[in-house]
Amino acid sequence: MDILALLLMGLVFVASLVIQGGLQATFARFSRVANSRGLTGAEVARAILDAHGLTHVRVEPVPGALTDHYDPHAKAVRLSEPNYASPSLAALAVAAHEVGHAVQDAHGYTWLRVRASLWPAASLGTNLGPILVVGGLMLGAIGLAKLGLYLYLAVALFQLVTLPVEFDASRRALEFLRRMGFLSQQEMAPARQVLTWAALTYVAALASSLAAILYYASLLMGRREE
């Protein structure tokens, strides 16, 4: 069982690398292609927010690459500096996606609320789960190892709930870009590619957590049988 779990973890790891490579290559490719209207990511984000009555939500630049996110507490769409100022197809896709989260928040999207409620447990599981499992096994404290496994299950649950949140934000983004005329019909396909690869990273993260849980569970089962 341990060997099968390790093989599964290895396969998931390789798949994750492929997906990350696909995202980076696709993003790099369409970061060099400007949209026909010459609009920047910040301009498109602002326009979509205003069109949905979210004039109070700020659009701000943040350092780094692919650090784009929506902050529900600050009510701010934060775009990485390249995407904030860039008129590329990739920048518009990412900006529209983050605005999708802002619209979800404004409409009380159920899965976004569920994910927010799971965040404390998931954060704890990310930091302590593996430590408790490994530490518990080393010390022979099976109860402690089980607690770590349960905490890590919270991480997987959080990642599972993240999938509909991210898929819906991408669906909304493409609809914004199409309906508001920011991208032409020909430009929509590259935007969809960028968002599809980005969505796959969340699938890979969930698969990685599930594989790790299976491995930890196999270690626990083996220790109990001794």
Side-chain angles (χ1 to χ4, degrees):
M1 184 63 176
D2 291 356
I3 295 176
L4 289 176
L6 280 172
L7 286 174
L8 179 59
M9 289 180 68
L11 289 173
V12 171
F13 178 72
V14 171
S16 298
L17 290 179
V18 171
I19 290 171
Q20 285 291 340
L23 172 61
Q24 292 175 5
T26 303
F27 188 84
R29 176 184 176 188
F30 294 117
S31 289
R32 296 190 292 268
V33 181
N35 67 85
S36 57
R37 294 184 58 181
L39 298 170
T40 65
E43 290 171 335
V44 166
R46 182 74 270 159
I48 299 173
L49 288 168
D50 291 348
H52 287 81
L54 302 179
T55 55
H56 62 287
V57 177
R58 304 189 304 278
V59 180
E60 303 172 343
V62 291
L66 294 178
T67 51
D68 313 81
H69 64 280
Y70 168 65
D71 186 337
H73 301 292
K75 303 301 180 188
V77 170
R78 297 195 171 117
L79 303 177
S80 58
E81 291 173 345
N83 288 336
Y84 184 90
S86 172
S88 72
L89 298 180
L92 264 62
V94 172
H97 175 89
E98 299 308 332
V99 172
H101 288 310
V103 174
Q104 288 174 338
D105 185 26
H107 292 173
Y109 183 63
T110 300
W111 289 114
L112 187 67
R113 290 184 174 182
V114 172
R115 185 176 73 165
S117 69
L118 291 172
W119 169 244
S123 179
L124 191 63
T126 299
N127 295 319
L128 289 181
I131 295 174
L132 292 180
V133 171
V134 176
L137 290 172
M138 291 178 64
L139 296 172
I142 300 302
L144 188 63
K146 282 184 177 180
L147 176 60
L149 183 60
Y150 293 147
L151 286 173
Y152 211 72
L153 282 170
V155 177
L157 182 58
F158 176 84
Q159 292 169 333
L160 178 62
V161 172
T162 292
L163 295 183
V165 174
E166 295 299 330
F167 291 159
D168 179 75
S170 290
R171 179 191 63 78
R172 292 173 189 262
L174 293 171
E175 179 63 19
F176 298 153
L177 295 171
R178 183 195 62 80
R179 180 166 46 83
M180 297 181 70
F182 294 124
L183 296 182
S184 66
Q185 189 65 34
Q186 293 74 21
E187 293 171 327
M188 287 298 296
R192 185 174 290 105
Q193 287 183 46
V194 170
L195 294 179
T196 297
W197 278 109
L200 286 176
T201 63
Y202 293 99
V203 176
L206 173 60
S208 296
S209 292
L210 292 176
I213 288 170
L214 178 61
Y215 177 65
Y216 293 146
S218 71
L219 291 178
L220 274 169
M221 290 174 61
R223 183 57 61 89
R224 289 180 63 183
E225 292 172 356
E226 293 178 357

